[in-house]
């Protein structure tokens, strides 16, 4: 049965619209270039053999949808159960912080911060999926937030993280508000994902104006 909402299959919709230039395909199975993300998705005519061929050629792949089914020939090696949240407006309030637009030159430092803080899957070129902003202290990147999946009508806030030494300064909320409002300003709704087990994080996102929509799982798969 076809998805009834674009965010039911955000990866497929991103790879067939605004982020199509980053797609790697085997038949009716698509994935992001592995330097950007593990996300993959199947079109309506996809076969298990195409999944296997893609994994063999490009390495592990990940489904990101509700009740994902592992194709024959692949095996699940990791799973993160998530809550998908959406906002059509962002609440006012919260502190403002001095921030800067990050560039490709900042990529290694962004990867290091994400590797330390683990906001979610982050690879060598993940920062190129969308614009990122950050906070620096004495030249050191201590917090960042940006965009990841980008599909017609929707932009995802992602990569939100703060160095452990600089938590408690309100950086996450301030940066998220800037990123989310930029998405809204171009006419899109905003969405994000949180680990479903992180109740405090979900409650924080609700204070910004996000509301629960679905419960997808991020399932990483490799050859069986």
């Amino acid at each position: 049965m076809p998805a009834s909402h674009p965010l039911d299959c955000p990866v497929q919709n991103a790879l067939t619209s605004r982020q199509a230039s980053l797609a790697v395909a085997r038949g009716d199975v698509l994935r992001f270039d592995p330097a950007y993300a593990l996300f993959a998705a199947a079109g309506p005519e996809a076969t298990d053999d195409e999944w296997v061929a893609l994994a063999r050629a490009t390495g592990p792949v990940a489904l990101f949808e509700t009740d994902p089914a592992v194709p024959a020939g692949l095996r699940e090696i990791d799973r993160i159960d998530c809550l998908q949240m959406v906002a059509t407006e962002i609440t006012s309030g919260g502190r403002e912080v001095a921030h800067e637009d990050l560039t490709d030159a900042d990529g290694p430092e962004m990867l290091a911060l994400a590797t330390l803080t683990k906001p979610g899957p982050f690879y060598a070129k993940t920062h190129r999926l969308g614009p990122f902003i950050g906070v620096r202290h004495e030249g050191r990147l201590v917090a960042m937030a940006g965009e990841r999946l980008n599909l017609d009508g929707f932009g995802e806030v992602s990569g939100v993280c703060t160095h452990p030494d600089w938590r408690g300064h309100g950086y996450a909320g301030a940066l998220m508000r800037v990123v989310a409002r930029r998405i809204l300003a171009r006419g899109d709704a905003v969405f994000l994902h949180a680990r479903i087990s992180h109740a405090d994080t979900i409650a924080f996102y609700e204070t910004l104006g996000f509301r629960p929509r679905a419960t997808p799982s991020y399932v990483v798969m490799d050859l069986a």
Side-chain angles (χ1 to χ4, degrees), residues 90-115:
I90 299 298
T91 59
S92 59
R95 66 169 298 190
E96 295 184 2
V97 300
H99 63 272
E100 64 183 60
D101 292 327
L102 300 176
T103 71
D104 196 46
D106 300 305
E109 198 172 2
M110 298 166 72
L111 179 60
L113 182 60
T115 300

Side-chain angles (χ1 to χ4, degrees), residues 47-59:
T47 67
D48 291 342
D49 287 344
E50 289 170 346
W51 276 104
V52 170
L54 185 64
R56 182 174 292 119
T58 65

Side-chain angles (χ1 to χ4, degrees), residues 131-191:
F132 271 77
I133 58 176
V135 174
R136 290 189 178 278
H137 179 73
E138 297 180 349
R140 176 189 183 191
L141 184 65
V142 299
M144 68 178 186
E147 297 184 43
R148 185 171 61 180
L149 294 175
N150 190 343
L151 54 146
D152 291 342
F154 298 89
E156 182 190 24
V157 177
S158 187
V160 182
C161 55
T162 304
H163 191 283
D165 294 344
W166 290 94
R167 289 173 182 161
H169 292 268
Y171 292 155
L175 294 179
M176 287 183 69
R177 280 190 164 93
V178 173
V179 174
R181 285 173 177 154
R182 287 181 178 181
I183 294 171
L184 292 171
R186 67 179 186 236
D188 291 340
V190 190
F191 71 110

